[in-house]
Amino acid sequence: MEKIVDQIVPHVIGARFPGRYIQAPGLIARLGVEARPLGSHGLCLLDNGLADVLEEALQEGAAGEIALAFRRHGGECSEAEIAAGIEAGRKARADLVIGAGGGKTLDTAKAVAHALSVPVVVVPTIAASDAPCSALAVVYREDGSVAYDHFLPRNPDLVLVDTAIIARAPARFLAAGIGDALATYYEAESSRRAQAPNCWGTHGSPVTYAIARFCRDVIFEAGAAALEECDRNEAGPALERVVEANILLSGAGFESGGVAGAHAIHHGLCELEDVHHHLHGEKVAIGVLAMLLIHGMEEEFARVNAFCERVRLPVTLAGVGIAEVTEAKLDRVAERACKAGDIMHNEPIAVSPQMVVAALKRLA
């Protein structure tokens, strides 16, 4: 697996985006038309929980344009699952990989496509994270803990977002995506203030920070209304705005602006079995709140805490499954969050494990 760029090129700024991003209700019906310029024989990795419904919809959408072979995703974006996808792609002689489902399925599809040296099409069925647009696959161990980040040389070639499908998913997933998007501005701002590099060894361009700020503004303005539309299975105007923020704006903002403490605390939380039934964005929201406390931003903490409550995000450790808070658990989270050379060090201040523990106690 490839590693992050080792050398930082000074004074270089930049931004990364998917090759194409398209969003509309009913868009899955155009899969074949939109993907045909990229390949003719696709391996589809399907989210196991939706595989039966997705297979039929993808077959209909691809009809007459591309031939499809299908594989059900095993659940984790793990080395074993990536290897199985590579084997399936070679067997199918695929010149294109299509990932359809949640973030772990999509990350696996991106990693498989890279290994096969073919384009990748991403079809998210939920807007629970910014995974669809990024050139990053978070690789997990089989026990659900984070193993490492797999940085890929290019972003997805096509991100096809059918908002009618997303509107039919439980609103909890959309709320989790808001939690992930919430970190975008705060982490990009930390990285900017620290003059820390992004994942690619350069620094964010001014447009990157504008996107990150706009992402925050959209979810603050439209997040609660979008959840109400999702409750009605309605791809209304608020949901359309928030889906774009969760997927495209957050994806571009974090990837080019930088990641920092909120996701570092997420990685720490994932060390505990308690949290494994909770969504990525739910844990990231806890990370945002903790980092605001660490920075002493009490007024902003109160604002964000109130926002999280409005958009159904957890504001306590119990909200992500840690009902029994012990010193041992907090120490384990904090040590992983402050791992040497990892993303916590993109913060503009030195953050110690003791500071993380103290912040998390405020959220107990």
Side-chain angles (χ1 to χ4, degrees):
M1 296 294 184
E2 296 179 0
K3 295 182 179 180
I4 192 169
V5 177
D6 291 325
Q7 293 185 336
I8 301 167
V9 183
H11 311 302
V12 173
I13 63 172
R16 297 184 63 148
F17 302 91
R20 264 198 316 143
Y21 178 93
I22 51 176
Q23 175 181 317
L27 202 55
I28 199 168
R30 291 185 54 82
L31 172 67
V33 172
E34 302 294 346
R36 183 63 184 86
L38 300 172
S40 59
H41 291 77
L43 169 69
C44 285
L45 298 182
L46 302 178
D47 193 302
N48 195 40
L50 298 170
D52 294 334
V53 174
L54 285 175
E55 182 169 344
E56 182 178 354
L58 290 165
Q59 282 282 29
E60 291 177 358
E65 298 290 340
I66 55 178
L68 300 180
F70 294 92
R71 182 179 189 280
R72 291 182 180 234
H73 185 258
E76 288 293 352
C77 178
S78 62
E79 290 189 349
E81 193 63 30
I82 293 168
I86 294 168
E87 182 181 356
R90 287 174 176 156
K91 184 177 180 180
R93 298 187 177 181
D95 58 6
L96 174 68
V97 173
I98 300 169
K104 291 183 178 182
T105 302
L106 305 183
D107 277 4
T108 303
K110 289 183 287 183
V112 169
H114 169 62
L116 295 174
S117 299
V118 301
V120 63
V121 175
V122 166
V123 184
T125 55
I126 53 177
S129 75
D130 46 28
C133 286
S134 75
L136 168 67
V138 180
V139 180
Y140 290 79
R141 301 181 185 90
E142 296 299 335
D143 66 1
S145 62
V146 177
Y148 56 88
D149 292 332
H150 182 14
F151 294 93
L152 305 168
R154 74 170 193 257
N155 298 70
D157 299 273
L158 170 63
V159 179
L160 187 151
V161 183
D162 187 328
T163 46
I165 293 175
I166 289 173
R168 291 195 295 270
R172 180 187 175 192
F173 291 113
L174 188 66
I178 293 171
D180 201 24
L182 178 65
T184 302
Y185 167 75
Y186 296 103
E187 292 190 306
E189 182 63 9
S190 282
S191 298
R192 184 191 66 79
R193 289 171 54 206
Q195 298 187 351
N198 57 28
C199 300
W200 319 109
T202 64
H203 294 81
S205 66
V207 72
T208 293
Y209 302 117
I211 288 170
R213 190 179 309 110
F214 183 50
C215 178
R216 177 201 62 184
D217 293 346
V218 169
I219 61 172
F220 273 33
E221 292 168 11
L227 290 169
E228 292 174 2
E229 290 176 354
C230 194
D231 288 337
R232 301 192 296 269
N233 303 132
E234 175 187 333
L239 183 135
E240 292 283 354
R241 292 185 67 200
V242 168
V243 167
E244 182 192 24
N246 286 5
I247 295 176
L248 179 61
L249 302 181
S250 183
F254 100 80
E255 191 166 37
S256 299
V259 290
H263 275 81
I265 290 174
H266 162 272
H267 290 357
L269 290 170
C270 287
E271 293 292 306
L272 304 181
E273 188 176 346
D274 312 51
V275 308
H276 289 173
H277 295 294
H278 290 267
L279 300 173
H280 172 83
E282 294 170 340
K283 291 171 275 189
V284 170
I286 293 294
V288 172
L289 293 170
M291 288 310 304
L292 291 173
L293 291 172
I294 288 169
H295 282 287
M297 300 171 66
E298 294 289 342
E299 187 173 330
E300 189 66 5
F301 168 79
R303 178 188 182 215
V304 173
N305 191 85
F307 169 73
C308 287
E309 290 182 329
R310 287 199 306 274
V311 296
R312 313 175 196 179
L313 287 169
V315 295
T316 66
L317 296 182
V320 290
I322 309 174
E324 182 185 353
V325 179
T326 66
E327 290 288 344
K329 288 180 181 179
L330 295 182
D331 287 344
R332 185 175 177 188
V333 171
E335 289 296 332
R336 174 61 180 87
C338 298
K339 181 181 175 183
D342 209 31
I343 53 178
M344 182 63 84
H345 302 282
N346 290 340
E347 290 291 336
I349 62 172
V351 179
S352 68
Q354 293 75 22
M355 294 164 72
V356 174
V357 168
L360 292 176
K361 284 182 177 179
R362 290 270 306 269
L363 302 177

